[in-house]
Amino acid sequence: MQQLLTWLQAEHELIAWGAWENTRLIAQYSSLLTALWLPSAASLECVGLSINLAVHPAYRGRGLVKQVAQPVYATLADRGVLAGVGFSNAAGVKVDRHSHAYGYQVIGRMQPVLVGLFPRLKSEPLRLTTDWPTTPFDFTPPADDLIRFAVSPALIRHRFAQHPFRHYHLGVWETAEGVQGVVIYRLATWQGLRVASLLAAHGHEVAELLQRWATALRHAGIYFVQALTTPTSVLRAALHDIGWSTRLPYTRTPYFLTVKPLKETASVLLNFNAWDCSGGDIL
């Protein structure tokens, strides 16, 4: 946890609060300042991304969630932050739904999908690697009406290439003009099958980027891709072009997108279908 918090604060400001009994930390809450792109306002808005809520098992049921969360959100409100957002797991969503003082609304469940790659893909393969490209690259976010977390090449590199203990695989699309896009994924096993777990993809043409990645995966003997997205995610739409996809009815680690409005204008965040999120957004 110390490594994780140190890494997070290298790119973002972290606001945290703890409850102590003598020298024992019995509850903690952390929120990371980050930005959302709101197409309705054509601007970036600061939000607090909830990344850690924990109460010691011996101290649960005493209202400690409220005590450690309220000072954090009072600080966020004083700074004019639009809302608190988060990705709650099954345990955290129970708190979100039953602790009214905590103030989070569960707006939707991230949807798992499994894709069997088409046997014949027309695009040329990109390069599969575990090394971040040394050539600088840039990209333009999609011009659509979806809400998404603001990213940049520097933030993507920090998020995936400089993580203190997680290691990721990359698909890098390069041309004579430079890097055109990067796919971030992890290798996993699902029901005995080798699977590429897609986390994020950034480039000028995301659909073409995934086509090239899928071709490279098939050449490497990987024929299935899994992903976790919101229903209207750009990645989810692009996955339909690389294989037969099916929504999985069950996942061992479900995640729910949650929102705590801090301004009246935050109501635009309560529409789950307006969000473009994927598994790589979950810290």
Side-chain angles (χ1 to χ4, degrees):
M1 181 58 69
Q2 184 176 0
Q3 284 182 308
L4 189 64
L5 295 178
T6 300
W7 167 72
L8 287 168
Q9 290 183 95
E11 288 288 344
H12 299 279
E13 183 178 356
L14 186 70
I15 297 174
W17 201 268
W20 302 78
E21 183 176 75
N22 298 320
T23 59
R24 171 183 282 184
L25 179 65
I26 59 175
Q28 63 181 23
Y29 189 84
S30 303
S31 184
L32 195 70
L33 288 179
T34 187
L36 284 180
W37 168 253
L38 296 185
S40 58
S43 64
L44 294 174
E45 284 281 353
C46 186
V47 295
L49 179 60
S50 175
I51 61 167
N52 189 272
L53 163 63
V55 179
H56 190 286
Y59 295 85
R60 291 173 185 167
R62 304 185 186 184
L64 287 174
V65 170
K66 176 182 177 181
Q67 292 184 48
V68 294
Q70 278 190 339
V72 171
Y73 285 101
T75 302
L76 294 176
D78 287 343
R79 296 193 180 193
V81 170
L82 179 66
V85 298
F87 295 96
S88 290
N89 57 21
V93 82
K94 292 180 180 178
V95 176
D96 296 328
R97 284 175 170 158
H98 295 107
S99 179
H100 297 291
Y102 184 42
Y104 265 90
Q105 299 181 44
V106 180
I107 65 168
R109 177 175 172 173
M110 299 285 285
Q111 298 178 357
V113 61
L114 179 69
V115 179
L117 299 178
F118 292 142
R120 292 181 179 85
L121 294 163
K122 297 179 181 178
S123 296
E124 292 295 318
L126 47 64
R127 179 169 60 91
L128 302 181
T129 181
T130 55
D131 297 321
W132 196 261
T134 56
T135 304
F137 78 101
D138 203 352
F139 56 88
T140 302
D144 54 30
D145 295 327
L146 297 178
I147 300 166
R148 54 178 57 91
F149 288 97
V151 294
S152 67
L155 286 175
I156 296 168
R157 180 184 178 93
H158 178 261
R159 166 73 176 86
F160 296 107
Q162 298 173 346
H163 197 284
F165 49 82
R166 290 180 185 154
H167 303 284
Y168 300 95
H169 291 259
L170 307 172
V172 181
W173 177 15
E174 296 169 303
T175 68
E177 289 74 34
V179 176
Q180 301 300 308
V182 174
V183 180
I184 301 99
Y185 67 102
R186 301 183 77 177
L187 294 178
T189 301
W190 184 85
Q191 301 292 324
L193 301 172
R194 290 183 69 203
V195 174
S197 295
L198 175 62
L199 297 173
H202 298 284
H204 298 291
E205 298 290 342
V206 172
E208 177 65 18
L209 177 61
L210 287 191
Q211 288 268 352
R212 292 173 178 270
W213 177 60
T215 303
L217 289 179
R218 286 200 64 91
H219 287 184
I222 300 170
Y223 308 118
F224 294 91
V225 169
Q226 64 181 9
L228 192 66
T229 72
T230 48
T232 53
S233 165
V234 169
L235 286 189
R236 194 177 194 88
L239 287 172
H240 291 299
D241 295 330
I242 65 173
W244 296 281
S245 63
T246 180
R247 180 180 171 182
L248 297 176
Y250 170 78
T251 177
R252 289 181 298 175
T253 54
Y255 282 95
F256 301 79
L257 181 60
T258 62
V259 174
K260 176 184 174 68
L262 297 175
K263 291 182 179 179
E264 290 185 6
T265 52
S267 59
V268 299
L269 305 181
L270 302 180
N271 178 11
F272 189 47
N273 289 323
W275 285 80
D276 176 15
C277 295
S278 63
D281 294 316
I282 304 171
L283 293 175

